[in-house]
Amino acid sequence: MRTEPQTRSTGTRPVGTLPVGTQAATGTLSTVRNLGILAHVDAGKTTVTERILYLTGATHKRGEVHHGTTVTDFDPQERDRGITIFAAAVSCDWDGHRINLIDTPGHVDFSDEVERSLRVLDGAVAVFDAVAGVEPQSESVWRKADRHGVPRIAFVNKLDRAGADLDSAVGSIRRRLHPAPLVVQLPIGQEDGFTGVVDLLRMRALTWTDGHGGAVEGPVPAELAEEARRRRRLLEEAVAELHPGALEEFCEHSALSAATLATALRDLTRTGEGLVVLCGSAYRNRGIEPLLAAVVAYLPSPLDVPPVHGTHDGGGQRRAADPAAPFAALVFKVNSTATGRLTYLRVYSGTIEKGAAVLDVGARRTERISRILRVQADRHAEVDRAVAGDIVAVIGPKAARAGATLCLPAAPLLLEPPSVADPVVSVAVEARRSTDTDRLAAALARLVEEDPSLVLRTDPETGQTVLSGMGELHLEVAVEKIRRAQGLEVGVGRPKVSYRETVTRAVSGLLYRHVKQEGGAGQFAHVVLDVDPLAATADGSTGGADGGTDGGTLFEFRSAVVGGRVPQEYVRAVEAGCRDALAEGPLGGHPVTGLRVTLTDGATHPKDSSELAFRTAGRLALREALRAAATALLEPVVELTATVPEDAVGGVLGDLAARRGRVSGSTTRGGTAVITATVPLAELFGYANRLRGRTQGRGTFTTRPTGYAPAPGPQPGAAPGTPAR
């Protein structure tokens, strides 16, 4: 028997689409599946998505990543680079079920897109390369799914590649991700000879004679019969160990029926105790129908997941996935297009119709929904309403951002937003033409609104516009998006580091007389100053009463004048002048910190002395004292906490030493090491990529400013204030 790869014409169940014991309930929430495709970059998840769309009849031509013809990788940068950058939502129908699918990025720089997608998904398909097995980003997205409690099934892809080995890939899954992978298929053929799979539940073979036709069902090949029986037995034993109902039948009959296996696999998938593993080759269109069958059979519908939890007036509330309940939805993505601002929603409860008013709970702002769109990547079909369980895009909200809750104004509820990781890499951006400065500022603001993992700030000291993100590729893509969309010429550079200067040797009794006479009232001020260095904090950074360790100025001023030789109002003017002088030091024009100034003596003139004269005298006197004193350059330092695999600790420590880092602690827990070190901020540019390279993408780090520390002296001939490297 042969089955064509789409169901539009006959409406009958394709071979292998629905294991024994499941039924479709068309038109109800039980027939909806909201799932994501998760994987390491280049594991083939976009190709899996394309084949799903093709087999379900959502597209009429198979898209190819290397041809730039995929539906979900529609952005020009995605097609140029051959990777998924932005999470794309698509919908299709299979065997009476509605499948809302999100193809997520696989590169570590775009993991925040995965985080936001997982927040609104009910299930996921984890795709693994049959040669590489579990790769670094596979592990990262798996842990994210664990945190969100998203049930998963696994698809071992690329079995047609040289060196492909299902057992090896499953072994890596068992060691690094899940202790109980439950393999429900046996490959027929190896590498180039891979032609199909044996369905171990029904003990039938599914083969594909070419890349375009449907699966052909037949008996298990004779040469694989014994191996298939052995693996079926192993599957039954593994399921019986995990599922009480299956254990009871296994003890009674020493075997499990296909119906019992299907029921147990569904329960184990939804509780996370077991992981159903399928296999195939998406590029050759082999194994996709059974994968769709598993999605329908094992992954939960909106009715199978717990009611969403939110808060209102300090109390907790739960809303079930009921179209009749009050409306509540979470915004997980915002995208500005040529036709308007698209706000992507997961509807958790209730029903929303176009023209309805909704409340943005966090912003306390009422918005109106003008249009509701069923999303097909970059194409959209307008619908009249959306109900609980739907993933749609809406047009109308002007200010709702990713993580916002939209709900019925009469029944407000605040849902927990997706977490946003702290940025780890920064670049300075500027418009190459001064006339484009305002346009660039507006474009950057829209960019940050669309992507919460981007952070934009203006450095108050250097005046640079600094864009921070999750990695160098992340920032490169963001800047290129502005260039292409706005036609702006944007310059990108390394952010400047805010250095400081300090006094290392005291100066006593510096006398300065300010006299100015140009007709009329003149200016006269006479001051004598002592300048002393202030002690650093215990960790070697400057900090204390005035400014602390956050980059402020550590400065003390006091007066030791006796006999009223300098009136109090002039003492305050001298202090103000000294503070003016701290703005630029003698080494490189950096702010000066870590000193104490004492006014020891002075003199006034009955007519020509004034607050202005003494303020000028204080400023010029301190500048002269700083030139006479010994000064040193200080650089900002941060406390870095890196979490890395145990086998990468040596390389990470060596790299930190090369960056002038001082390791202050190292602990080991659960196969990972947590390293704490103090590192100069100037040495951390590019560290994110270096750490990922040394840890195969599994290392992460955070930083916290701790103050300033002495920098290496200036190189001969170097620009003032430039530390030696």
Side-chain angles (χ1 to χ4, degrees), residues 32-35 49-50 52-59 71-72 88-94 97-103 292 332 344-345 373-381 383 389-393:
V32 175
R33 298 291 184 272
N34 294 315
L35 68 138
T49 304
E50 292 297 320
I52 289 175
L53 294 177
Y54 177 71
L55 285 169
T56 57
T59 60
V71 172
T72 53
V90 292
S91 297
C92 57
D93 295 302
W94 178 259
H97 289 71
R98 183 72 175 177
I99 298 176
N100 299 316
L101 190 151
I102 297 180
D103 180 22
L292 282 166
F332 68 94
Y344 291 78
L345 306 176
L373 306 174
R374 182 77 64 187
V375 181
Q376 199 74 355
D378 60 336
R379 300 188 297 273
H380 316 101
V383 296
D390 277 341
I391 293 179
V392 295

Side-chain angles (χ1 to χ4, degrees), residues 431-433 436 439-440 443 446 479-490:
R432 294 199 182 278
R433 294 192 297 264
D436 290 338
R439 289 180 60 204
L440 176 61
R446 282 195 298 272
V479 172
E480 185 62 24
K481 186 175 182 180
I482 292 177
R483 288 174 177 150
R484 295 191 183 198
Q486 306 296 327
L488 291 172
E489 294 185 19
V490 183

Side-chain angles (χ1 to χ4, degrees), residues 37 40-51 53 61-85 103-104 106 157-158 282-284:
I37 307 293
H40 184 88
V41 64
D42 203 34
K45 55 187 170 33
T46 297
T47 303
V48 170
T49 304
E50 292 297 320
R51 297 305 183 263
L53 294 177
K61 183 180 179 180
R62 297 187 304 170
E64 304 292 355
V65 173
H66 53 281
H67 290 158
T69 58
T70 57
V71 172
T72 53
D73 285 356
F74 58 85
D75 188 271
Q77 288 201 72
E78 293 179 308
R79 294 184 171 179
D80 291 347
R81 300 174 188 271
I83 62 172
T84 300
I85 296 173
D103 180 22
T104 63
N157 191 28
K158 301 187 178 183
Y283 179 69
R284 295 196 179 185

Side-chain angles (χ1 to χ4, degrees), residues 352-424:
I352 184 69
E353 297 182 351
K354 61 181 182 180
V358 296
L359 175 67
D360 183 341
V361 182
R364 298 182 180 179
R365 173 190 175 109
T366 300
E367 304 271 16
R368 188 164 297 279
I369 306 298
S370 58
R371 298 171 65 194
I372 303 174
L373 306 174
R374 182 77 64 187
V375 181
Q376 199 74 355
D378 60 336
R379 300 188 297 273
H380 316 101
E382 189 165 350
V383 296
D384 292 331
R385 64 179 187 169
V387 300
D390 277 341
I391 293 179
V392 295
V394 298
I395 296 178
K398 300 290 191 302
R401 303 189 64 176
T405 302
L406 301 183
C407 64
L408 190 70
L413 182 72
L414 182 63
L415 303 178
E416 181 183 358
S419 61
V420 180
D422 294 329
V424 297

Side-chain angles (χ1 to χ4, degrees), residues 179-198:
L182 304 172
V183 184
V184 297
Q185 293 176 339
L186 169 66
I188 300 176
Q190 294 181 337
E191 300 179 352
D192 284 343
F194 171 69
T195 59
V197 297
V198 174

Side-chain angles (χ1 to χ4, degrees), residues 523-645:
Q523 294 185 22
F524 178 88
H526 175 93
V527 295
V528 180
L529 302 180
D530 289 348
V531 179
D532 302 291
L534 276 177
T537 58
D539 63 359
S541 62
T542 59
D546 190 358
T549 62
D550 60 355
T553 302
L554 179 62
F555 171 71
E556 288 184 11
F557 180 89
R558 60 187 181 185
S559 173
V561 178
V562 295
R565 293 177 60 82
V566 180
Q568 189 60 38
E569 61 269 23
Y570 293 166
V571 171
R572 289 194 293 268
V574 173
E575 180 180 356
C578 290
R579 290 186 179 274
D580 293 341
L582 298 177
E584 294 184 5
L587 283 180
H590 306 293
V592 182
T593 186
L595 72 162
R596 178 189 298 112
V597 175
T598 305
L599 177 64
T600 60
D601 200 359
T604 62
H605 187 277
K607 292 184 178 181
D608 292 342
S609 291
S610 63
E611 291 186 21
L612 176 61
F614 272 89
R615 180 166 185 162
T616 303
R619 182 179 73 253
L620 298 178
L622 183 53
R623 285 184 179 176
E624 187 172 316
L626 291 174
R627 287 192 291 269
T631 54
L633 192 68
L634 300 175
E635 61 181 348
V637 295
V638 298
E639 181 185 74
L640 179 144
T641 303
T643 304
V644 302

Side-chain angles (χ1 to χ4, degrees), residues 425-500:
V425 177
S426 301
V427 294
V429 293
E430 63 178 6
R432 294 199 182 278
R433 294 192 297 264
S434 59
T435 55
D436 290 338
T437 301
D438 291 341
R439 289 180 60 204
L440 176 61
L444 287 170
R446 282 195 298 272
L447 197 67
V448 172
E449 183 181 73
E450 292 181 16
D451 188 349
S453 60
L454 291 171
V455 175
L456 185 68
R457 65 182 177 87
T458 300
D459 191 302
E461 296 187 12
T462 65
Q464 289 181 306
T465 299
V466 179
L467 184 66
S468 304
M470 303 305 297
E472 293 182 13
L473 179 60
H474 185 205
L475 296 178
E476 183 182 326
V477 166
V479 172
E480 185 62 24
K481 186 175 182 180
I482 292 177
R483 288 174 177 150
R484 295 191 183 198
Q486 306 296 327
L488 291 172
E489 294 185 19
V490 183
V492 178
R494 181 173 179 166
K496 297 177 182 177
V497 174
S498 300
Y499 292 98
R500 294 286 189 271

